[in-house]
Amino acid sequence: MFRSVALLIVVLASPSTLTAAETEKLSVVAATPNAAAMLPPLPQGSRMVVLLENDGDSIETINRRALLMKDATHFVYLPGDESILITMYRERLQSRGAVPVALPQPVQQRHASVSYTAFLTFDSMLASLPIQR
């Protein structure tokens, strides 16, 4: 109930809420495979790139991925997993207009299973997270 009310307030109060026309232009950079795995399905027509796919990725490879996504709309990351390299690229893309989205850390449960809030859509995820512009 509270989440529904909060979502309604965000939708009505925020002029930056995504509309159907804008969702086609979504371009998301996920910092790591872990951050990408936590994302809900993106709207059809959206692009997504994982910046650091492997620990052994060369700087040239990472730069190439970042350059392909220089006009990214969002940069999604896990604050606890953020290295200096990820911070540098997040700040670089943020200066070009990408909105940084810090995903909540997964909570470890007693039986070593990981749970987190499942979001049905990318829009619902953005509406429920505190995002600073």
Side-chain angles (χ1 to χ4, degrees):
M1 170 77 180
F2 176 75
R3 188 172 293 234
S4 308
V5 173
L7 178 61
L8 180 62
I9 290 170
V10 169
V11 168
L12 294 177
S14 176
S16 63
T17 303
L18 297 173
T19 62
E22 293 170 331
T23 58
E24 294 176 12
K25 299 176 188 174
L26 271 181
S27 180
V28 179
V29 174
T32 61
N34 291 339
M38 290 183 66
L39 287 178
L42 296 175
Q44 190 171 7
S46 300
R47 294 184 317 148
M48 186 182 86
V49 165
V50 177
L51 190 62
L52 298 172
E53 289 182 1
N54 302 307
D55 289 337
D57 286 345
S58 68
I59 293 297
E60 292 82 18
T61 302
I62 297 167
N63 273 332
R64 194 174 322 115
R65 289 181 195 135
L67 189 58
L68 287 172
M69 299 297 280
K70 67 182 178 196
D71 296 325
T73 58
H74 297 84
F75 185 88
V76 181
Y77 65 102
L78 290 163
D81 289 344
E82 193 174 28
S83 66
I84 293 172
L85 189 62
I86 291 173
T87 302
M88 181 187 75
Y89 281 101
R90 177 178 51 83
E91 290 174 355
R92 183 184 295 176
L93 291 171
Q94 186 176 353
S95 72
R96 297 188 57 88
V99 176
V101 178
L103 295 173
Q105 289 291 343
V107 178
Q108 292 289 338
Q109 300 294 326
R110 284 188 171 176
H111 301 289
S113 63
V114 177
S115 69
Y116 59 92
T117 305
F119 300 105
L120 297 177
T121 65
F122 192 73
D123 293 345
S124 67
M125 182 193 75
L126 292 178
S128 67
L129 296 175
I131 297 175
Q132 299 175 354
R133 291 192 179 254

